Amino acid sequence: MAVLNWRSADHYDRSGDKPCVICTKPTPLRSDRGKPVHKVCAEAWIDRHPPKEDRT
């Protein structure tokens, strides 16, 4: 199971909650790319979408 380290304050948006891009429930959390997402939702998404191996 993926475990993300979101201890940085950069993952918290004080401007207010926005709908999570995965579950649509409100969250003040933001991904590394600035998208509103719960940490547990992001971790579950990563588990369901493992990186594909390079076939070169």
Side-chain angles (χ1 to χ4, degrees), residues 34-49:
K35 302 287 184 186
V37 63
H38 296 103
K39 181 178 178 284
V40 295
C41 289
E43 291 168 341
W45 187 91
I46 290 169
D47 286 342
R48 289 190 310 269
H49 301 88

Side-chain angles (χ1 to χ4, degrees), residues 10-45:
D10 295 339
H11 290 288
Y12 185 80
D13 187 349
R14 287 172 176 64
S15 68
D17 290 354
K18 292 188 178 172
C20 174
V21 296
I22 297 173
C23 75
T24 70
K25 293 180 183 175
T27 181
L29 299 176
R30 302 295 182 261
S31 70
D32 289 342
R33 296 181 179 171
K35 302 287 184 186
V37 63
H38 296 103
K39 181 178 178 284
V40 295
C41 289
E43 291 168 341
W45 187 91

